[in-house]
Amino acid sequence: MKLYNTLSKKVEKFSTYEEGIVKMYTCGPTVYHFAHIGNLRTYIFEDILQKSLEYLGYDVKRVMNITDVGHMTSDGDTGEDKMQKGALREHKTVYEIAAFYTEAFMSDIDKLNIKRPTIIEKASDHIDTYIEMIKVLLEKGYAYQAGGNIYFDVSKFPNYYELSGKNQEDLLVGVREDVEEDKSKRNPADFGLWFTLSKFENQVMQWDSPWGRGYPGWHIECSGISYKYLGEYLDIHCGGVDNIFPHHTNEIAQSESFLGHKWCNYWCHGEHLNDSTGKMSKSKGEFLTLSLLESKGYNSLVYRLFCLNSHYRSQLVFSYEAMEATKNAYQKLLGKVASIRNDRSGQKELDKIEKYEQKFKEALENDLNTANAVTILYDVLKSDCSNETKLYLIESFDSVLSLDLLKETKIEKELEDYIEEQIRKRNEAKKEKNYELADKIRNDLLEKGVELKDSREGTTYTFRK
Ligand code: AMP
Ligand code: ZN
């Protein structure tokens, strides 16, 4: 397997600390609102990464956190508390907000056929672990107490800018001047580990600590949860590109200072999905959620296929035209698979299975080239393989692609309903002698791979091979 590593800025051969076992940490959602489809693109990428590694024979132990405390709107220590903002918006408690949006997130990832991580833990359930780590960071001199809060001193960690590949000046350019800076910090890049001086009225999530009652900074949760469930060494850590700085940069600084050695070998980041106006947002313009797509007639797996058709390290622009094209492609794909399933002829050809599985693996091993992996699926469908061979390969590939290609699903039912509806419309058109419309309906279906046959008993359909 070869993967692009943000740490080295190179595509590298992948190896693990322990043979055959991958310890993988993926930053989870901040549960103050629904996930937008951009967020979900990152989780699809992580799912493909996990399933590709499993396809190649690795045993993957994946941990994910649920951020329900400490995340500010600025991604640093300033701005508003995201959870508090959600609670105010909906006149609920932060706990109610967290429970509701965690449930919504789980439902989204289930719909996208994203395998649930082995361990999913709430940030607010691990306060003791963060306190233990912060104590060690203070003892070792990496952290300091100022103005009632505890900060990490980035000047004590020489590799602080390694992951982002930037320097302090670069990072300070673009920092908005109107964002109030915390005057207690020694260095503007220092970040909060523990806050005792809540600037938010009625802050509910607060806990006792040796430094006073308060709450943890955002970054310590991932270091803490990863340490607790995956131990001192991590193989892969993932997130979207916006996580590179400051979140992952800060995670590395605090974890490695706490542990006293290198922590994680591979840092993999998914590029953003943008909308036509640029950056995707939960507050401006149309808030693109999976439910919104569903309400417009796009099955969640159409969105999954849309993501798989591009490389995870390329920016992707969302449009309804692209969704429409992907929906058609998906229906056609399902139609082709259905016609093969209805005709299980021939024998399993082991040499061909080996050949195509090898090609599929090579696509995944090439820094997760999912678009090529999908092309290999099409190659199989078009090939001279027996139907038994094709079915075997479709099932094999779908263990990674997870497009429900062989499942009797709601989508198939939707497709059948759609075809039957079109046949009804065509019959009506014929009755009204509107042959132009009748032919158009027949041709549109044919484009989707559905062939209509008229007989005295009525109209039937088959999926073209
Ligand atoms: P959040 O819930 O804000 O913590 O973000 C959840 C995940 O979505 C993180 O891994 C982010 O890096 C990622 N993310 C945020 N915006 C986008 C986007 N537009 N496209 C892809 N991933 C994103
Ligand atoms: Zn994280």
Side-chain angles (χ1 to χ4, degrees):
M1 172 66 116
K2 284 201 212 127
L3 283 175
Y4 180 83
N5 189 350
T6 309
L7 206 53
S8 64
K9 320 275 174 292
K10 282 201 266 286
V11 176
E12 287 180 19
K13 194 172 177 308
F14 178 67
S15 65
T16 55
Y17 277 112
E18 247 177 283
E19 207 186 320
I21 296 173
V22 179
K23 291 189 178 175
M24 178 174 174
Y25 189 91
T26 51
C27 293
T30 308
V31 283
Y32 72 112
H33 218 322
F34 292 109
H36 60 50
I37 56 173
N39 302 132
L40 295 171
R41 181 186 186 203
T42 293
Y43 299 110
I44 292 172
F45 142 63
E46 293 163 350
D47 181 61
I48 285 284
L49 175 56
Q50 170 170 10
K51 286 175 180 160
S52 299
L53 290 165
E54 286 170 347
Y55 196 78
L56 297 171
Y58 288 101
D59 187 1
V60 181
K61 186 169 180 194
R62 176 175 167 200
V63 175
M64 188 174 82
N65 61 302
I66 299 283
T67 300
D68 58 358
V69 63
H71 195 172
M72 302 295 142
T73 43
S74 73
D75 278 355
D77 298 335
T78 54
E80 291 173 85
D81 175 309
K82 286 193 175 184
M83 295 304 298
Q84 196 94 343
K85 203 176 157 190
L88 281 173
R89 185 185 64 231
E90 298 183 24
H91 309 291
K92 289 186 183 150
T93 68
V94 277
Y95 288 99
E96 284 166 340
I97 290 288
F100 179 81
Y101 288 110
T102 302
E103 196 53 42
F105 173 74
M106 292 302 170
S107 153
D108 280 350
I109 66 169
D110 288 351
K111 282 185 199 158
L112 288 164
N113 278 345
I114 291 171
K115 185 171 172 176
R116 289 197 182 193
T118 329
I119 291 170
I120 302 178
E121 287 292 328
K122 282 196 281 188
S124 61
D125 280 346
H126 299 281
I127 304 296
D128 292 352
T129 307
Y130 317 144
I131 291 178
E132 183 194 326
M133 291 177 89
I134 297 167
K135 272 189 195 163
V136 173
L137 291 172
L138 280 164
E139 276 162 27
K140 288 187 169 182
Y142 288 106
Y144 61 93
Q145 191 163 8
N149 299 331
I150 311 291
Y151 297 97
F152 187 93
D153 183 347
V154 304
S155 69
K156 298 276 164 60
F157 189 72
N159 291 340
Y160 185 70
Y161 296 102
E162 190 183 3
L163 185 75
S164 64
K166 295 190 169 154
N167 59 34
Q168 188 175 336
E169 283 74 49
D170 288 341
L171 293 169
L172 288 178
V173 173
V175 169
R176 280 171 41 204
E177 279 171 12
D178 57 332
V179 171
E180 94 251 34
E181 200 37 79
D182 191 335
K183 301 279 186 309
S184 316
K185 290 181 190 180
R186 288 182 191 162
N187 175 331
D190 292 353
F191 57 92
L193 296 167
W194 189 268
F195 295 94
T196 59
L197 300 178
S198 177
K199 54 186 174 183
F200 309 113
E201 261 180 63
N202 312 320
Q203 173 104 6
V204 179
M205 287 198 183
Q206 295 208 43
W207 296 266
D208 288 328
S209 84
W211 318 287
R213 208 167 158 71
Y215 58 98
W218 168 40
H219 317 293
I220 193 75
E221 69 180 75
C222 293
S223 289
I225 292 174
S226 170
Y227 170 60
K228 180 157 177 187
Y229 295 96
L230 294 168
E232 291 197 14
Y233 296 92
L234 192 60
D235 295 303
I236 305 183
H237 196 128
C238 304
V241 284
D242 57 303
N243 281 161
I244 297 173
F245 185 86
H247 186 48
H248 290 167
T249 297
N250 293 352
E251 280 189 44
I252 295 175
Q254 60 203 6
S255 285
E256 297 196 351
S257 305
F258 166 74
L259 294 166
H261 56 71
K262 184 164 181 181
W263 171 44
C264 175
N265 280 333
Y266 299 86
W267 288 83
C268 301
H269 294 98
E271 250 303 344
H272 274 187
L273 173 83
N274 298 320
D275 59 24
S276 53
T277 63
K279 199 171 181 290
M280 193 147 291
S281 161
K282 295 189 187 188
S283 50
K284 284 179 237 116
E286 191 178 37
F287 180 10
L288 288 163
T289 60
L290 204 58
S291 314
L292 180 75
L293 293 190
E294 281 178 322
S295 74
K296 291 186 187 263
Y298 302 108
N299 185 287
S300 305
L301 297 182
V302 170
Y303 180 63
R304 185 174 171 105
L305 178 59
F306 171 67
C307 292
L308 298 187
N309 280 336
S310 78
H311 192 252
Y312 77 94
R313 283 198 293 117
S314 303
Q315 287 191 1
L316 183 59
V317 178
F318 173 84
S319 71
Y320 284 109
E321 293 77 55
M323 284 305 282
E324 198 54 35
T326 314
K327 181 179 171 177
N328 281 333
Y330 187 52
Q331 286 183 339
K332 215 163 160 176
L333 183 60
L334 288 182
K336 280 201 177 121
V337 174
S339 74
I340 296 171
R341 204 179 44 208
N342 294 338
D343 172 18
R344 298 188 79 110
S345 55
Q347 302 257 316
K348 246 189 234 154
E349 301 142 309
L350 296 182
D351 53 336
K352 290 184 182 166
I353 288 176
E354 202 183 313
K355 178 179 117 185
Y356 282 108
E357 280 194 331
Q358 187 53 31
K359 283 186 172 199
F360 187 72
K361 273 187 194 162
E362 279 166 16
L364 300 175
E365 281 173 335
N366 182 14
D367 194 24
L368 300 183
N369 194 332
T370 48
N372 262 1
V374 172
T375 305
I376 291 155
L377 170 70
Y378 281 111
D379 289 347
V380 167
L381 297 177
K382 278 188 286 187
S383 73
D384 62 356
C385 293
S386 70
N387 279 1
E388 270 303 314
T389 303
K390 286 183 183 174
L391 284 171
Y392 181 92
L393 286 167
I394 295 165
E395 192 174 0
S396 162
F397 296 174
D398 210 31
S399 67
V400 178
L401 303 177
S402 303
L403 294 168
D404 279 357
L405 297 176
L406 286 169
K407 238 183 184 175
E408 289 274 5
T409 56
K410 209 171 135 260
I411 309 152
E412 246 175 48
K413 178 83 183 60
E414 274 171 20
L415 181 62
E416 279 167 19
D417 290 349
Y418 171 76
I419 297 169
E420 278 159 23
E421 173 70 18
Q422 295 305 306
I423 293 176
R424 256 195 309 278
K425 279 192 185 154
R426 180 166 166 265
N427 288 343
E428 265 170 39
K430 283 207 285 192
K431 245 191 240 158
E432 289 161 10
K433 301 211 179 339
N434 186 349
Y435 296 112
E436 203 180 320
L437 178 62
D439 284 349
K440 184 177 181 314
I441 293 174
R442 168 194 279 273
N443 290 336
D444 285 351
L445 284 173
L446 203 57
E447 277 220 334
K448 292 191 157 82
V450 181
E451 196 163 10
L452 299 186
K453 284 206 173 80
D454 296 314
S455 70
R456 240 180 296 160
E457 284 75 40
T459 307
T460 55
Y461 63 88
T462 50
F463 292 107
R464 284 212 309 182
K465 284 180 197 160

